[in-house]
């Protein structure tokens, strides 16, 4: 009976921790979505811009202001490179 109680307590703990982690991940996603929408608003290929901006925002947790440049505001965002050595983030 003690093992059952311990397993139940552990299960509840895991459920609480995973739900709080999921909430924070979802909040970060909506933040990235709104910042990337602003960043890519003038891009000629918006779908591609939004895709890569979302990847970069997820990794760096920030997006530079404006629609172009300002990468000094988020050094991680500006430092990411693709396989060819060119900037990955729009």
């Amino acid at each position: 009976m003690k093992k059952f109680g311990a397993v139940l307590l552990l299960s509840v703990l895991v459920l609480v921790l995973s739900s709080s982690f999921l909430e924070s991940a979802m909040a970060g996603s909506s933040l990235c979505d709104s910042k990337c929408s602003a960043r890519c608003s003038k891009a000629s290929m918006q779908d591609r811009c939004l895709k890569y901006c979302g990847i970069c925002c997820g990794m760096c947790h920030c997006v530079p202001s404006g629609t172009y440049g300002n990468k000094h505001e988020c050094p991680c965002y500006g430092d990411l490179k693709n396989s060819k050595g060119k900037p990955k983030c729009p």
Side-chain angles (χ1 to χ4, degrees), residues 8-55:
L8 182 64
L9 181 62
L10 184 61
S11 298
V12 169
L13 183 61
V14 167
L15 181 64
V16 168
L17 289 175
S18 65
S19 67
S20 65
F21 175 75
L22 185 60
E23 258 181 48
S24 65
M26 294 296 281
S29 175
S30 65
L31 177 67
C32 286
D33 290 346
S34 64
K35 290 196 173 254
C36 286
S37 292
R39 180 91 176 159
C40 296
S41 63
K42 294 184 178 180
S44 59
M45 295 186 199
Q46 281 197 351
D47 56 339
R48 186 178 295 174
C49 181
L50 289 169
K51 174 184 174 184
Y52 288 108
C53 180
I55 291 169

Side-chain angles (χ1 to χ4, degrees), residues 46-81:
Q46 281 197 351
D47 56 339
R48 186 178 295 174
C49 181
L50 289 169
K51 174 184 174 184
Y52 288 108
C53 180
I55 291 169
C56 295
C57 179
M59 293 173 75
C60 298
H61 306 292
C62 61
V63 175
S65 62
T67 56
Y68 184 79
N70 300 322
K71 291 186 179 181
H72 64 280
E73 295 175 356
C74 181
C76 169
Y77 190 95
D79 292 342
L80 291 176
K81 305 288 185 212

